[in-house]
């Protein structure tokens, strides 16, 4: 299916003429009525043609939980994004593996983001947030995405890997390269730029791995943890698996938190009554953080591949079919979440959202993400009566990353 | 009504009256004992209602099925008596049971 010049009318176009993989749905923030219609009319929907081939769309909350939990039928191999891996870069990563290999590799990385480890990191994270916020240009319009969201998450990634701090912007660049290609998720990154960038990532981390091996100081950053676990101690000898897992950890810690850090500002500006609630009660921050993550849904989908024929909600899914779980749709499903389109910072059950996924691939870094956003908001509220949005946001062109490239703001100190 | 004792990680204990026929997770939540998140709402899909069953009671509480086992396998603090409390149906026979809650849910 060639993508037409203009998006079809979401309410009147025949469903078979709508391409739910069109990256402009997110880029233009036009997706809501399209997915609302699918949830209503055909919640498990087969699209016969798309730039990524035929695929199923799973759009309701409970159906997504069911698919996400069933790795026996719905495999994460060979990849978890709608577009297939390109032949020039066949990375392997545990998010795109099934048990038992997945379990072994994830267990090696998981302790770094376990809450005891996070508690030790909290003062360092807070000091970095404070420094970023204290250096914002009061009285000027600036881009919140660059000056706060990217800056903060890049510093966090450098901390998690103990990556050379002055070179940390490479981490964000590699992350953008990893998910930016048209074949994978509809972005604009060319292979000429992407492949050398990812090879540079591999070479850099291979060098760091060997340097750290000699150091052997019992550190708790990710590379040392991987080296100490017998199952991943020789990961560096399997370059595509090494690169894949490094990219997974970089992307996992980058796009997600970055875009949620921007989303909170946008959501509160669009919902001034909620901003007033927050000003009156900073104790709402933890629940608000979950609500921001739901409202934003920074990763719009995850994909599975059917391992064998299965009837799901009355539909015949065939072996080998792509099955795309639209997390952003599940998070707007009124049958699971009251007033799902509204941003409400004091919901009764704010953690009941689908942004982290469910089942064995559920986001490993969810507590880290929540902690970073909690600290960010605690420190924002200590300084500013209003972070005012003064222009329209610009959004990422992708059907996978739901994010922002710019959000012009001005800050008003207390 | 049967009672169950829930011990938080900090040692604080709560003896709660429980309702048979619904899950242990729902019973703990409805008694407002902190330490269980249950993000998925009881679908065995998030792992955030993890608890440890006191040894004398683990047989009565039953064993984890393969799905629960795979979720428990992701927990760095998993022990032999680890269970997801959403997968345990409370029964009258559990009167007096003791469970401990972990330091964190993730």
């Amino acid at each position: 299916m060639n993508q037409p010049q203009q998006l079809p009318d979401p309410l009147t176009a025949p469903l078979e003429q709508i391409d739910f993989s069109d990256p402009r749905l997110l880029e233009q923030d036009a997706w809501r009525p399209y997915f609302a219609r699918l949830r209503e009319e055909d919640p498990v929907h087969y699209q016969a043609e798309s730039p990524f081939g035929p695929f199923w769309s799973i759009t309701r909350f409970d159906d997504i939980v069911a698919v996400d939990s069933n790795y026996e039928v719905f495999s994460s191999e060979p990849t978890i994004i709608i577009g297939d891996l390109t032949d020039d870069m066949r990375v392997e990563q545990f998010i795109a593996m099934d048990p038992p290999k997945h379990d072994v590799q994830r267990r090696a990385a998981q302790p770094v983001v376990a809450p005891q480890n996070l508690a030790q990191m909290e003062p360092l994270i807070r000091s970095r947030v404070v420094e970023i916020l204290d250096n914002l240009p009061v009285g000027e319009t600036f881009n919140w995405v660059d000056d706060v969201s990217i800056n903060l998450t890049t510093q966090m990634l450098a901390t998690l890997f103990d990556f050379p701090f002055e070179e940390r912007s490479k981490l964000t660049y590699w992350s953008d390269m990893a998910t930016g290609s048209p074949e994978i998720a509809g972005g604009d990154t060319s292979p000429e730029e992407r492949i050398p960038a990812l090879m540079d990532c591999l070479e850099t981390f291979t060098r760091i791995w060997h340097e750290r091996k000699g150091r052997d100081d019992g550190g708790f950053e990710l590379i040392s943890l991987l080296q100490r676990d017998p199952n991943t101690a020789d990961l560096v000898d399997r370059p595509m698996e090494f690169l894949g897992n490094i990219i997974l950890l970089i992307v996992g810690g980058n796009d997600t938190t970055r875009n949620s850090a921007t989303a909170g500002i946008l959501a509160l500006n669009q919902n001034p009554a909620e901003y007033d609630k927050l000003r009156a009660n900073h104790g709402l921050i933890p629940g608000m953080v979950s609500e921001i993550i739901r409202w934003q849904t920074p990763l719009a989908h995850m994909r599975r591949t059917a391992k064998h024929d299965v009837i799901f909600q009355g539909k015949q899914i065939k072996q080998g079919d792509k099955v795309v779980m639209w997390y952003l749709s599940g998070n707007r499903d009124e049958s699971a979440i009251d007033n799902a389109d509204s941003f409400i910072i004091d919901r009764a059950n704010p953690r009941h959202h689908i942004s982290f996924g469910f089942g064995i691939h559920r986001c490993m870094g969810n507590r880290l993400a929540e902690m970073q956003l909690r600290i960010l908001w605690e420190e924002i509220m200590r300084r500013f009566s209003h972070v005012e949005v003064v222009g329209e946001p610009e959004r990422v062109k992708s059907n996978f990353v739901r994010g922002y490239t710019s959000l012009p703001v001005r800050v008003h100190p207390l | 009504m049967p009672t169950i004792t829930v011990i938080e990680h900090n040692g604080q204990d709560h003896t709660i009256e429980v309702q048979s026929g619904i899950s242990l997770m729902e019973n703990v939540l409805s008694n407002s004992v902190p330490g269980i998140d249950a993000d998925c709402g009881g679908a065995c899909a998030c792992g955030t209602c993890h608890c440890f069953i006191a040894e004398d009671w683990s047989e009565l509480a039953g064993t984890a099925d393969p799905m629960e086992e795979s979720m428990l396998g992701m927990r760095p603090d998993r022990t032999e008596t680890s269970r997801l409390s959403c997968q345990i149906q409370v029964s009258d026979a559990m009167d007096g049971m003791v469970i401990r809650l972990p330091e964190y849910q993730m």
Side-chain angles (χ1 to χ4, degrees):
Chain A
M1 182 188 285
N2 288 321
Q3 285 169 345
Q5 295 282 307
Q6 280 199 322
L7 292 170
D9 187 286
L11 303 179
T12 59
L15 279 184
E16 60 273 18
Q17 285 177 21
I18 298 176
D19 176 12
F20 293 91
S21 72
D22 191 327
R24 295 174 303 173
L25 292 177
L26 298 188
E27 187 187 27
Q28 299 176 14
D29 201 35
W31 54 276
R32 286 174 192 77
Y34 294 92
F35 284 98
R37 191 165 157 211
L38 266 198
R39 284 195 303 276
E40 182 66 29
E41 290 180 22
D42 195 25
V44 176
H45 172 73
Y46 185 72
Q47 182 176 324
E49 286 179 54
S50 90
F52 309 93
F55 67 95
W56 292 91
S57 285
I58 311 292
T59 58
R60 285 187 180 167
F61 192 104
D62 289 346
D63 288 346
I64 292 171
V65 175
V67 170
D68 228 352
S69 302
N70 190 349
Y71 60 82
E72 301 278 357
V73 174
F74 299 106
S75 172
S76 290
E77 299 176 4
T79 178
I80 47 78
I81 303 182
I82 189 168
D84 288 316
L85 296 171
T86 50
D87 283 336
D88 50 15
M89 189 53 76
R90 302 201 75 85
V91 297
E92 295 179 44
Q93 41 191 204
F94 67 79
I95 196 175
M97 291 175 189
D98 294 330
K101 200 175 175 189
H102 157 271
D103 302 4
V104 169
Q105 294 202 3
R106 173 161 167 156
R107 263 184 225 131
Q110 183 119 18
V112 81
V113 286
Q116 316 105 309
N117 207 21
L118 297 184
Q120 294 180 23
M121 280 188 236
E122 179 161 348
L124 180 60
I125 295 173
R126 189 176 297 276
S127 71
R128 290 183 166 163
V129 169
V130 163
E131 200 181 330
I132 288 170
L133 295 180
D134 283 345
N135 284 301
L136 292 177
V138 174
E140 290 174 28
T141 296
F142 63 91
N143 182 359
W144 183 266
V145 174
D146 286 337
D147 290 3
V148 179
S149 306
I150 291 180
N151 199 2
L152 174 66
T153 45
T154 307
Q155 291 194 21
M156 268 317 306
L157 279 173
T159 306
L160 286 175
F161 284 107
D162 195 12
F163 190 84
F165 206 64
E166 52 299 342
E167 292 178 53
R168 66 187 184 278
S169 63
K170 283 186 177 176
L171 293 168
T172 322
Y173 175 67
W174 293 331
S175 173
D176 291 344
M177 288 297 110
T179 56
S181 80
E183 303 87 349
I184 291 175
D188 289 326
T189 303
S190 72
E192 290 73 28
E193 186 180 8
R194 179 168 182 266
I195 301 302
L198 296 180
M199 292 319 290
D200 183 37
C201 176
L202 174 60
E203 282 163 25
T204 305
F205 271 98
T206 302
R207 196 170 64 241
I208 289 173
W209 177 285
H210 290 301
E211 284 166 8
R212 205 147 296 170
K213 194 91 185 160
R215 210 167 72 190
D216 198 21
D217 59 359
F220 272 90
E221 41 67 44
L222 273 167
I223 301 291
S224 297
L225 284 170
L226 291 170
Q227 287 177 343
R228 282 211 294 277
D229 191 299
N231 291 303
T232 47
D234 59 350
L235 191 60
V236 75
D237 300 330
R238 304 189 293 276
M240 283 301 107
E241 198 175 313
F242 181 50
L243 177 61
N245 284 315
I246 293 290
I247 289 172
L248 168 61
L249 296 165
I250 295 175
V251 174
N254 177 37
D255 281 313
T256 52
T257 310
R258 179 208 299 189
N259 291 312
S260 298
T262 303
I265 301 291
L266 185 61
L268 286 171
N269 274 265
Q270 290 177 355
N271 297 274
E274 299 302 303
Y275 211 158
D276 285 339
K277 274 191 214 166
L278 174 64
R279 289 187 188 102
N281 181 5
H282 296 186
L284 296 176
I285 288 174
M288 178 181 80
V289 162
S290 291
E291 176 68 349
I292 290 170
I293 294 168
R294 179 192 75 87
W295 184 84
Q296 179 59 23
T297 320
L299 296 180
H301 79 255
M302 285 283 164
R303 167 221 164 157
R304 301 290 181 257
T305 305
K307 280 163 86 167
H308 48 76
D309 293 2
V310 63
I311 306 266
F312 184 78
Q313 297 294 27
K315 301 288 184 107
Q316 176 67 66
I317 296 178
K318 294 282 200 188
Q319 180 183 6
D321 283 358
K322 289 183 183 184
V323 179
V324 176
M325 301 173 285
W326 292 103
Y327 287 174
L328 87 173
S329 175
N331 272 334
R332 293 297 189 279
D333 183 349
E334 291 281 340
S335 65
I337 297 164
D338 292 335
N339 297 310
D341 274 329
S342 304
F343 177 76
I344 303 170
I345 68 171
D346 52 355
R347 284 184 181 274
N349 193 4
R351 303 189 58 85
H352 188 57
H353 64 71
I354 218 157
S355 299
F356 293 133
F358 284 113
I360 59 168
H361 294 285
R362 182 172 166 80
C363 175
M364 188 175 87
N366 59 6
R367 302 294 152 153
L368 173 63
E370 289 168 352
M371 183 174 79
Q372 290 180 80
L373 294 169
R374 172 177 56 79
I375 294 171
L376 174 65
W377 276 100
E378 286 168 356
E379 298 300 330
I380 288 173
M381 296 311 290
R382 275 187 194 138
R383 283 165 181 74
F384 306 118
S385 61
H386 193 188
V387 180
E388 184 191 4
V389 174
V390 295
E392 288 300 309
E394 286 177 23
R395 293 178 165 84
V396 175
K397 185 184 176 197
S398 172
N399 58 32
F400 179 64
V401 174
R402 179 163 184 247
Y404 306 91
T405 53
S406 80
L407 183 69
V409 299
R410 290 170 84 94
V411 291
H412 301 277
L414 287 170
Chain B
M1 249 184 176
T3 62
I4 287 178
T5 299
V6 184
I7 307 173
E8 290 182 63
H9 184 73
N10 64 12
Q12 175 77 47
D13 58 29
H14 310 258
T15 297
I16 59 172
E17 291 195 341
V18 291
Q19 198 182 326
S20 295
I22 66 168
S23 74
L24 180 57
M25 177 274 280
E26 289 168 283
N27 272 298
V28 174
L29 283 186
S30 64
N31 281 277
S32 303
V33 178
I36 292 233
D37 291 337
D39 293 356
C40 75
C44 194
C46 71
T48 65
C49 65
H50 181 208
C51 70
F52 307 104
I53 309 292
E55 271 177 30
D56 303 349
W57 295 92
S58 54
E59 200 177 319
L60 188 62
T63 50
D65 69 13
M67 185 64 217
E68 184 185 345
E69 193 59 43
S70 64
M71 294 305 298
L72 286 169
M74 301 298 124
R75 294 287 310 220
D77 55 349
R78 193 246 161 100
T79 72
E80 291 210 340
T81 62
S82 285
R83 290 294 309 273
L84 295 183
S85 56
C86 73
Q87 298 302 302
I88 297 172
Q89 284 282 100
V90 169
S91 67
D92 290 349
M94 291 178 188
D95 188 21
M97 186 163 87
V98 179
I99 66 166
R100 288 184 299 110
L101 299 183
E103 185 178 1
Y104 56 84
Q105 299 287 354
M106 70 180 290

